[in-house]
Amino acid sequence: MQVSKREYGAEQPYWPAGPFKIRLPFIHYRWETPEMIQGLVMFVVGLAMIPLLEKYLGMPYEAALAFTFVAGIGYILPALLGVPLVPGWITPAIPVVLLYLKGFEPGPEAIKALFALQLEVTFIFLFLGVTRLGSKLVDVIPNSLKSGIIIGAGIAAMMGELKVGGRIDATPISLIVGSLISAYVLFSLSFKSVVDANPLAKKIANFGMVPGMILAMIVGWVVGEYPLPEIEWGITQPDFALMFQYLTFTVGFPGWDVFLLAIPTAVIAYVIAFGDIIVGFTLVKRVEDIREDEKIEDSVDRVHLVTALRNGIHAFLAPWPGLAGPLWTAAHATVAERYAMGRKAMDSIYSGGGTFWMTGLVALFILPLVTLFKPVLPIALSLTLVLTAYICIMVGMEQLKNSVERGVAGIVAVTLAMPDPKSTVYAVAIGLVLYFLIERPKLLGRHNPEDEVIFADGEEEASAAKAAQQAKQAKETASVD
């Protein structure tokens, strides 16, 4: 239960704080048990960043574990400050970030490089949020380019798992089983019909990705794809003192040359994150049409400000190869699906996301859970990437209105998914060129945006009109006879 109650059709209660809207559990929204259980399992995805911190920044496990607690603080900020999206990393950008870090020696040099990159990402989000240009980009950027970026990010995430030497080679059985079960529970039309008639199926649906992840872990242990855990008891003790030895305050700040080298990667990361914002609010819009009892504010500018705050915290206190992204696609889809079941299932979109990550932060201190999941961290990351791929492709395709947009978006998506650190820059450039050359009825000068749809669908409309005319003539001939 919560202290403040929401009237039907109104916005969830909050405390105003400048551009933010503060919401606390038990005061402004209720505690959701299914999301709490999910948080006790899904927090392991955050721990999956530890191997990358050890490899690319050259830090020991204890210091990397302390970094995950800083990340945990960042995860709770969006729901706390009025953002209805479940946050995560800029996941599809991770391969690009790692390619950038390979140019620096693990240790102080790599830490400086990652600090420079994350600080630039902070400034991009902050500038677009303060100037409110971020919300305008949603309307200014061509639909084909936005959808192409979303679809391309999904393809890139999937290809990272399927490539030779990827996790599908090392752990095929557990990854395939976990992916199929998770996809069936989250997206299957047949399972949705079972949920309506079966109470047990409805309970399973409440836990989203958890059944698939748990089953994948069990299968991985049974078939020997992952080692059995060595469970320890007590409270997790990250070494925060050691952590400070791997921050810029200790190793020093980067030079201007490093900041210049980081600019392309920072721009790429933002473009992908922008696609995540579109995906997130598209999922919110779909369920908001079902739930008329709550008005959800889709403030893109607030998302930019909160994401800037999170990246700034990371830059100075825990440089993070995954960066701080506005959306954890798979987790957000899970929350959105349960939210669509009605107010009894989930009171508010904020109660779902808020409960999920607050539980995840607490779970980081539970040593038995941390040691239980430690051997299977890769499967948690893999399932997240696979489900992210499906959702990105689904939402991206859904936004395309006609065949011309689909063609341009397809080219953008394929270009973006290429294994090249500059592929995102190429994709954006190609998408803009194709938009002006192919989609616009007038190459130069002003034009009516509605003409684009008419022009693009002209051939289809002509065919439909011709068919209607033929049917009319056949009817007249039949009546004469």
Side-chain angles (χ1 to χ4, degrees), residues 56 96-106 109-110 113 258 261:
Y56 290 93
V96 181
V97 174
L98 297 183
L99 192 62
Y100 162 75
L101 290 177
K102 284 181 180 179
F104 302 89
E105 187 72 22
E109 294 304 314
V258 179
L261 288 172

Side-chain angles (χ1 to χ4, degrees), residues 1 16 19 22 51 62 66 106 119 127 138 142 149 169 201 228 314 338 350 366 383 429:
M1 299 297 292
I22 298 175
E62 293 75 14
L119 194 62
F127 173 77
V138 175
I149 290 173
D169 279 352
L228 292 174
H314 269 296
R338 210 173 76 79
Y350 300 98
I366 305 175
L383 288 179

Side-chain angles (χ1 to χ4, degrees), residues 360-376:
L361 179 61
V362 173
L364 289 172
F365 288 95
I366 305 175
L367 186 59
L369 283 178
V370 173
T371 52
L372 171 66
F373 293 126
K374 185 177 179 180
V376 290

Side-chain angles (χ1 to χ4, degrees), residues 11 41 107 124 177 204 327 347 354 366 396 410:
E11 190 176 352
V41 177
I124 293 174
V177 169
I204 293 174
L327 184 74
D347 178 55
I366 305 175

Side-chain angles (χ1 to χ4, degrees), residues 144-145 147-148 151 397 400-415 430-431 434-435 438-439 456:
S144 56
L145 179 57
S147 298
I151 296 169
M397 294 293 291
L400 298 169
K401 300 182 180 69
N402 53 65
S403 58
V404 174
E405 285 191 355
R406 287 190 285 272
V408 174
I411 297 298
V412 172
V414 172
T415 306
I430 290 173
L434 291 179
Y435 167 73
I438 298 177
E439 291 190 54

Side-chain angles (χ1 to χ4, degrees), residues 8-280:
Y8 188 91
E11 190 176 352
Q12 192 70 9
Y14 62 89
W15 290 333
F20 306 115
K21 295 183 176 181
I22 298 175
R23 294 183 174 93
L24 299 175
F26 305 110
I27 297 177
H28 300 107
Y29 61 80
R30 79 184 187 198
W31 193 258
E32 305 287 353
T33 301
E35 275 65 43
M36 179 184 70
I37 296 175
Q38 288 187 60
L40 291 173
V41 177
M42 299 301 295
F43 83 99
V44 300
V45 176
L47 295 177
M49 191 58 61
I50 291 178
L52 300 183
L53 292 168
E54 293 175 323
K55 179 178 179 180
Y56 290 93
L57 299 190
M59 63 174 55
Y61 174 83
E62 293 75 14
L65 183 61
F67 271 32
T68 65
F69 284 91
V70 176
I73 297 295
Y75 295 142
I76 70 173
L77 291 180
L80 177 68
L81 298 178
V83 174
L85 309 181
V86 180
W89 310 332
I90 308 180
T91 307
I94 291 177
V96 181
V97 174
L98 297 183
L99 192 62
Y100 162 75
L101 290 177
K102 284 181 180 179
F104 302 89
E105 187 72 22
E109 294 304 314
I111 293 170
K112 293 177 183 179
L114 188 52
F115 167 82
L117 170 62
Q118 197 136 31
L119 194 62
E120 289 178 354
V121 173
T122 300
F123 286 143
I124 293 174
F125 275 102
L126 183 62
F127 173 77
L128 294 176
V130 170
T131 60
R132 298 189 174 183
L133 291 175
S135 57
K136 295 180 181 179
L137 283 176
V138 175
D139 300 321
V140 172
I141 295 180
N143 191 52
S144 56
L145 179 57
K146 291 186 290 188
S147 298
I149 290 173
I150 295 170
I151 296 169
I155 295 173
M158 193 68 180
M159 294 307 296
E161 297 302 304
L162 298 179
K163 68 181 181 181
V164 177
R167 275 179 284 268
I168 191 67
D169 279 352
T171 58
I173 300 176
S174 57
L175 179 53
I176 291 174
V177 169
S179 298
L180 291 177
I181 296 299
S182 297
Y184 181 73
V185 171
L186 284 173
F187 309 117
S188 172
L189 297 177
S190 63
F191 184 71
K192 290 183 186 300
S193 63
V194 174
V195 168
D196 295 334
N198 191 308
L200 177 60
K202 188 173 183 178
K203 290 181 180 179
I204 293 174
N206 284 339
F207 299 113
M209 286 178 61
V210 172
M213 184 168 292
I214 294 294
L215 189 57
M217 292 174 178
I218 293 173
V219 169
W221 286 325
V222 170
V223 301
E225 290 182 343
Y226 292 100
L228 292 174
E230 297 180 2
I231 299 177
E232 301 176 20
W233 300 95
I235 300 175
T236 308
Q237 297 181 349
D239 196 331
F240 290 102
L242 181 61
M243 178 188 81
F244 271 88
Q245 300 301 315
Y246 296 88
L247 300 179
T248 51
F249 302 111
T250 303
V251 303
F253 291 87
W256 289 110
D257 57 330
V258 179
F259 280 102
L260 291 175
L261 288 172
I263 290 175
T265 306
V267 173
I268 289 171
Y270 174 76
V271 171
I272 294 175
F274 181 78
D276 284 342
I277 295 174
I278 296 171
V279 170

Side-chain angles (χ1 to χ4, degrees), residues 308-321:
L309 176 61
R310 292 175 57 217
N311 276 289
I313 292 172
H314 269 296
F316 288 98
L317 298 179
W320 199 248

